């Protein structure tokens, strides 16, 4: 494999104060499940705004109450949100509020305890992915192994027109792994945290995103 080029491996850190404020609230250990979920929903809406900044537009004629002009529209269904189960689901609804026509594909992966390889247990995408732009949703880019494996499956089995990865928090180790494997995939993250601990959790982080979204702990 060729080594990744810094020029092709884009990292967009979403430093908007609204996103940073909501993220800070989400990090608080005593934030309730409903509060955590609502903040993630709101961040999903704000992230969608950044993720779709260079979306193609088509000129259309529009009749205002006063005259006719040329406006633009997007083709939302060309966007496919691809949550990695299960934590990725937490970002879907907020993004769909902003791009209601987007399609949603799902990827489920687990780590084989013996080989440590990522094993797919669920994969369902819309048709004609070659005409669509995929946004893979993985709130916590920790080691980056699941995200890189999900992107590899997407490339092999669906071949979307483009792939972006959206996460809430990224660890430097995860960014290096993702871009080592997929230098063509632009990463959008709300923050780059310090490092991983011995259990693979992001520090300072916010804990287990799936458990906090679904209230399973
Ligand atoms: N997954 C999580 O949910 N949290 C982490 O800190 C790392 C991986």
């Amino acid at each position: 494999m060729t080594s990744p080029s810094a020029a092709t491996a884009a990292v967009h850190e979403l430093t908007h104060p609204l996103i940073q404020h909501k993220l800070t609230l989400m990090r608080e250990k005593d934030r309730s499940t409903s509060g955590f979920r609502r903040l993630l929903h709101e961040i999903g809406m704000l992230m969608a705004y950044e993720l779709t900044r260079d979306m193609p537009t088509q000129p259309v004629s529009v009749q205002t109450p006063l005259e006719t002009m040329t406006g633009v529209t997007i083709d939302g269904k060309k966007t496919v949100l691809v949550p990695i189960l299960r934590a990725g689901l937490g970002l879907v609804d907020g993004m769909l509020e902003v791009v209601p026509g987007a399609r949603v594909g799902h990827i489920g992966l687990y780590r084989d305890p013996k080989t440590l390889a990522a094993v797919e247990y669920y994969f369902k995408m819309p048709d004609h992915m070659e005409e669509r732009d995929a946004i893979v949703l993985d709130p916590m880019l920790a080691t980056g192994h699941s995200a890189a494996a999900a992107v590899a499956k997407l490339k092999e089995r669906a071949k979307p027109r483009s792939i972006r990865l959206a996460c809430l928090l990224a660890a430097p180790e995860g960014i290096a792994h993702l871009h080592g494997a997929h230098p063509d995939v632009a990463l959008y993250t709300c923050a780059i945290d310090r490092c991983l601990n011995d259990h693979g959790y992001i520090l300072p982080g916010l804990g287990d995103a799936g458990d906090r979204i679904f209230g399973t702990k």
Side-chain angles (χ1 to χ4, degrees):
M1 189 191 301
T2 53
S3 66
S5 138
T8 55
V11 178
H12 302 270
E13 201 173 343
L14 307 181
T15 56
H16 193 290
L18 282 172
I19 292 182
Q20 293 304 315
H21 172 83
K22 291 173 194 299
L23 176 59
T24 300
L25 299 183
M26 291 182 75
R27 289 184 190 267
E28 289 174 355
K29 70 178 173 52
D30 294 329
R31 179 74 39 199
S32 67
T33 299
S34 63
F36 188 90
R37 203 184 278 151
R38 183 180 46 76
L39 288 160
L40 185 57
H41 180 95
E42 291 168 2
I43 287 185
M45 293 168 63
L46 297 167
M47 290 185 82
Y49 179 83
E50 299 281 359
L51 281 153
T52 53
R53 189 172 278 283
D54 59 358
M55 206 176 196
T57 56
Q58 297 86 38
V60 288
S61 174
V62 55
Q63 175 74 55
T64 80
L66 300 173
E67 56 180 283
T68 302
M69 63 164 284
T70 303
V72 295
T73 57
I74 57 157
D75 191 358
K77 61 181 178 296
K78 296 280 192 230
T79 297
V80 184
L81 306 178
V82 184
I84 303 179
L85 302 176
R86 76 183 157 143
L89 293 172
L91 281 165
V92 171
D93 287 349
M95 293 196 180
L96 284 176
E97 278 207 37
V98 182
V99 192
R103 302 315 194 219
V104 182
H106 294 86
I107 297 186
L109 298 169
Y110 72 89
R111 185 158 295 277
D112 183 298
K114 286 207 184 99
T115 65
L116 301 182
V119 182
E120 176 190 309
Y121 65 86
Y122 193 77
F123 187 95
K124 182 87 177 171
M125 294 296 141
D127 290 342
H128 303 300
M129 285 291 283
E130 69 287 351
E131 298 169 4
R132 304 183 199 268
D133 300 303
I135 303 176
V136 177
L137 309 178
D138 187 10
M140 307 297 276
L141 187 69
T143 63
H145 286 109
S146 315
V151 168
K153 300 277 177 203
L154 206 47
K155 285 180 174 175
E156 269 163 45
R157 299 193 44 188
K159 303 182 177 49
R161 183 165 67 181
S162 70
I163 305 179
R164 285 159 199 216
L165 183 88
C167 61
L168 263 189
L169 298 184
E173 296 90 328
I175 298 174
H177 184 77
L178 175 79
H179 278 157
H182 303 290
D184 54 317
V185 172
L187 172 68
Y188 291 71
T189 182
C190 300
I192 300 173
D193 272 10
R194 192 173 72 250
C195 63
L196 297 180
N197 71 8
D198 293 344
H199 303 286
Y201 279 89
I202 297 176
L203 295 176
L206 49 71
D208 188 302
D211 281 341
R212 297 201 62 189
I213 295 165
F214 296 108
T216 40
K217 235 185 203 147

